[in-house]
Amino acid sequence: METADYNPLDHLNAIFPHPSTLKSVREASDRLRTHQLALDIEIDELVAAQAKSDLGSLERIQAARDELAELFQKIDGVRERAMQTEQTITEMTADIKRLDHTKRNLTLSMTALKRLQMLTTAYEQLRGLSSSRQYRECAQLLQAVIQLMAHFKSYRSIDQIATLSRNVSDLQRELLEQVCEDFEVTFAKSEVPQRRGMLAEACLVMDALGDNARSRLVVWYCNTQLREYRQVFRGNDEAGSLDNISRRYSWFKRMIKTYDDQHAAIFPLSWRVDESLANAFCEGTREDFKGILSRSTRRADGQTLDVHILLSCLQETLDFEHSLERKFTNTSRISMDTLTSNDEKSPPFDHTISEAFEPYLSVWVEAQDKQLSAMLPKYRQQPPKPPDEEFSSQMVIPSSTELFSFYRLTFAQCAKLSTGARLVELSKVFAKYLDQYAQQILFYYISERPTGQTPSKTPIIEDLILVLNTADYCFSTCTQLEEKIKGRIDEPLKEAVDLQSQSDAFMGIASACIRSLVRKIEIDLEPSWREMRNTGWSKLQSVNDQSSYVGDMLEKIKARAAEILAMLNKQQYARAFCDNLVELLANAFISSMVQCRPISEVGAEQMLLDSYALTQAFSSLLSPSNPTYTKRVTNIMSRVSPILKTLQVRPLPPEALVQAYLIHIADKSDANFKKVLDLKGVAKKDQAGLLELFIAHKTAKRHEGLPMYSAVLTPLVVASGLASGGATGLASLGASAGNTLSAANLPARFDPSTFGTALMTAARDGVDRFGSPALGISASGTAAGSRTASPPPALQGHNGEGAGNLGVGTSTNVNQNLKNIGKFFKRDLSGFGGRFGGARAGSDEVK
């Protein structure tokens, strides 16, 4: 009923649903009237209550308005009374304020008059004292006059004050000229000893006159004392030549001694006249030297500046500057053999004269270049170890310490002479001969050299260890040298110093040494691999714990590895050696296995047992035991298992062989499947049916996720009983004993062809350690990979090519190859624990 669209018919139909109910219409009508009457009464009551409530609200609002009006009236009354009170107080204090102002003005006036009286009196006294040259009293009065005159700056609009100010300024100028005249006359007549007291008092006057007056007198004194020096050494070519540089410094020492004995008492200590005199001498001498050196480089006879005379003069100049620093600062400069921090403040006389020599230090740098170029051929002729010394596993080649000792002394010398462009030039000379030392000396020691007979002379293990230690020492010392140079060179030139490439080159040498050590074992194992290839693997009837060649191989590996590991005094290199050795042996095992085809099921089972025996033996090579190394060995040797497990399955029924291939090799390559058939010795006529069955099975839905090519078999080439890793450098491992680098054509540089090709091949194949990981694939088809180091085959023939047929490469390629391999080697060894290339105990380092 409360809704706006109420329909009474619906309600009536609900009350009277049937005609028989109409008899109760009267009763329903009475009820409705009664309800209507009750509603009317309720409405009347609500209306009356609301009207009464509105009336009370109006009354309260009106009362509030009346109260606000009364409050505003009270506020206006308070404001009016406050204003009246303020006016009364102002009238009461006005007279007091006037009295205060009057008192202040009287005080200022009296003070000004008093100061004016004092100024006038002092001025008159000062004029009298100046005329009688009573300089001590003049100095005191002059200070008072200047201070008093400062109070009257704001009164210069008054004529009398302006006149007095001009008089005081004129008197100051007169005093200045008078004192300067007294000094000139006294020094001209050589009456300094007799009038020393008067001149000392005159200096007090100059002190009172201010900085300009004091500077004028000091400049005059310095020019007077240096006049004779300039006349003698600038006007006489012989006296002013570089040969007579010592006479200049002797003359100054006599002059400064005269100052100390006769003139020091004249000037106040705070003036530091002797230091000003030294600065003036240094500036004049520096300009003289610039002119002399410039003329020496433009001589008509074409002769160049003698580097020995230049260095002799520069050394005398540095000694002279050093003596000045000791005298005036009591701070010692760095010596030729020591370096100081770049953060230390430069002494005041640092390079004041020697700065003139800096543009000509290129001559000195060239002299160091020539000296180094003469040293390297001598180093090449020396044996790695002096004949009269016993071998030690921690020894380094003596020439390396001698080279860096020369670098250290030369750098210290240059840092004292110049910390600018010349030091950058010297760093480039250092880099040049570090590259040459790595190429022409260290690599030469580890290269095979012809003897006129066969085989060529190969480096012995002791020499390889010496070169490895030396490369490590050169790496760490080279890094220290770069840091030291950057610590001394001027800030804008720091980026120009970079010996990182040289550090990488020494890491390349270290990698080559590791490969050469592994090569020793590779040569020892050639008979064992030959025995393996000569075994009839297709005719075996039963299996043993291990084959006979395995026992012989393990005996040789353990003996030679123990000998080598005992000489490797860094765990990083021991780990690298073992990793590289395992990598090579795993590749050699796969290569020899391919050459042993056909392989029967029994033969494959025996080979699998042999691989397990080798894995167990390889895991124990490194001591103490290392879990990461053990995992690395397992991953490398696990590349053999998928092939051998597949070969163990008989070709009949054919489905079994196909399923075994899809499980173990796990790829869809038809070519790889044919390689397995070739290894098993399946006849060509039978291969077609097996290949069709393989194609049918590999397209099944359950094999959709298999890769197209397996990293285990794809690199192998099975043809005519030979195998090679397409990207592994495993070709002709049986003949690898003759595939090392020869030094037949290396009078001064090594042949980078084999080394560089192997390095770049490894880099393209994604090398993470020393050697190529192309065969380092796990059974699941992923890289068996870890980042454990395996040196690239730097000393091994690449793809079966002998080094004897290789041409001599350029120095740039050699250097770049060494740098690249060093970067791989350094990066990966950093994971072996400890900072790679750290300073060797007891080794020399750049100080």
Side-chain angles (χ1 to χ4, degrees), residues 546-567:
Q546 64 183 35
S547 301
S548 59
Y549 77 91
V550 173
D552 181 62
M553 180 184 297
L554 293 181
E555 182 180 352
K556 293 178 180 179
I557 291 175
K558 291 180 180 179
R560 181 69 80 168
E563 178 186 1
I564 294 174
L565 290 173
M567 298 182 185

Side-chain angles (χ1 to χ4, degrees), residues 119 122-123 125-126 129 135-149 168-169 171-173 175-176 179 202 204-210 213:
L119 177 60
Y123 169 74
Q125 292 177 357
L126 184 59
L129 293 172
Y135 289 131
R136 182 180 297 277
E137 292 77 7
C138 280
Q140 298 174 356
L141 275 177
L142 182 59
Q143 292 178 358
V145 168
I146 294 174
Q147 292 176 0
L148 289 171
M149 200 63 223
V168 170
S169 298
L171 181 57
Q172 289 178 345
R173 284 193 294 272
L175 277 171
L176 174 61
V179 170
L204 299 178
V205 174
M206 301 298 275
D207 229 353
L209 288 174

Side-chain angles (χ1 to χ4, degrees), residues 727 752-767 770 772-773 792-794 798 813-821 824:
S753 302
T754 299
F755 182 65
T757 303
L759 169 64
M760 298 312 296
T761 300
R764 285 194 299 269
D765 292 338
V767 131
F770 293 32
S772 170
H798 185 68
N813 291 336
V814 171
N815 188 35
Q816 190 60 41
N817 290 337
L818 286 173
K819 294 172 186 175
N820 291 340
I821 191 60
F824 290 126

Side-chain angles (χ1 to χ4, degrees), residues 177-221:
E177 297 300 331
Q178 180 176 311
V179 170
C180 290
E181 182 181 356
D182 288 344
F183 267 89
E184 291 174 2
V185 171
T186 302
F187 276 84
K189 295 181 178 181
S190 301
E191 297 177 353
V192 174
Q194 295 82 1
R195 306 183 65 181
R196 185 181 294 118
M198 183 268 290
L199 296 180
E201 294 176 355
C203 288
L204 299 178
V205 174
M206 301 298 275
D207 229 353
L209 288 174
D211 294 338
N212 291 334
R214 182 167 56 247
S215 298
R216 175 178 169 180
L217 181 59
V218 172
V219 170
W220 171 85
Y221 174 78

Side-chain angles (χ1 to χ4, degrees), residues 396-676:
V396 296
I397 299 174
S399 61
S400 65
T401 58
E402 182 180 341
L403 177 66
F404 278 105
S405 177
F406 178 84
Y407 274 17
R408 182 175 65 252
L409 296 177
T410 306
F411 163 53
Q413 218 172 6
C414 186
K416 185 178 180 182
L417 306 179
S418 169
T419 57
R422 303 292 84 77
L423 192 53
V424 174
E425 291 180 10
L426 184 65
S427 71
K428 295 185 183 302
V429 172
F430 287 170
K432 170 185 174 182
Y433 287 100
L434 285 173
D435 285 335
Q436 292 189 15
Y437 187 79
Q439 299 167 16
Q440 300 180 14
I441 309 300
L442 297 185
F443 197 87
Y444 174 77
Y445 285 149
I446 61 176
S447 301
E448 291 189 7
R449 294 183 287 279
T451 60
Q453 301 175 356
T454 303
S456 299
K457 180 181 178 181
T458 60
I460 62 175
I461 293 178
E462 292 183 356
D463 288 351
L464 293 174
I465 295 298
L466 283 175
V467 174
L468 176 60
N469 292 343
T470 303
D472 177 67
Y473 163 74
C474 291
F475 168 81
S476 59
T477 313
C478 187
T479 303
Q480 295 169 13
L481 179 63
E482 179 182 352
E483 294 173 355
K484 292 293 184 181
I485 295 176
K486 287 184 176 180
R488 286 289 295 163
I489 202 168
D490 296 339
E491 187 68 29
L493 299 176
K494 285 187 176 181
E495 295 300 324
V497 179
D498 184 10
L499 299 180
Q500 188 60 48
S501 296
Q502 287 65 42
S503 298
D504 293 338
F506 286 117
M507 282 299 94
I509 294 295
S511 173
C513 291
I514 294 294
R515 273 298 300 167
S516 296
L517 292 171
V518 173
R519 171 79 175 133
K520 294 292 183 181
I521 298 181
E522 181 184 6
I523 295 174
D524 292 343
L525 297 183
E526 181 55 31
S528 300
W529 293 125
R530 189 181 304 112
E531 180 183 350
M532 176 184 177
R533 292 191 294 270
N534 292 337
T535 301
W537 296 99
S538 61
K539 301 177 181 179
L540 287 183
Q541 301 297 322
S542 61
V543 298
N544 299 315
D545 291 341
Q546 64 183 35
S547 301
S548 59
Y549 77 91
V550 173
D552 181 62
M553 180 184 297
L554 293 181
E555 182 180 352
K556 293 178 180 179
I557 291 175
K558 291 180 180 179
R560 181 69 80 168
E563 178 186 1
I564 294 174
L565 290 173
M567 298 182 185
L568 296 175
N569 59 356
K570 277 195 171 183
Q571 186 65 21
Q572 294 96 324
Y573 291 122
R575 172 68 186 275
F577 169 77
C578 292
D579 283 341
N580 191 48
L581 177 61
V582 173
E583 184 79 31
L584 181 138
L585 294 176
N587 294 340
F589 187 91
I590 294 176
S591 178
S592 298
M593 176 187 69
V594 173
Q595 297 180 50
C596 292
R597 69 189 183 102
I599 303 172
S600 66
E601 292 76 15
V602 177
E605 184 179 358
Q606 182 62 59
M607 282 188 179
L608 188 61
L609 291 175
D610 293 343
S611 70
Y612 291 157
L614 290 174
T615 301
Q616 186 176 4
F618 293 162
S619 300
S620 62
L621 284 179
L622 191 63
S623 179
S625 179
N626 188 319
T628 58
Y629 168 71
T630 303
K631 183 178 179 181
R632 166 73 173 169
V633 172
T634 303
N635 288 337
I636 293 175
M637 295 302 295
S638 63
R639 289 178 276 175
V640 180
S641 299
I643 302 174
L644 295 176
K645 289 180 179 179
T646 304
L647 295 178
Q648 283 183 277
V649 179
R650 297 180 181 276
L652 296 174
E655 289 83 358
L657 179 59
V658 171
Q659 291 296 337
Y661 179 90
L662 293 173
I663 292 174
H664 298 299
I665 306 300
D667 75 359
K668 298 180 181 180
S669 172
D670 297 348
N672 287 345
F673 183 71
K674 290 181 66 177
K675 292 178 184 179
V676 172

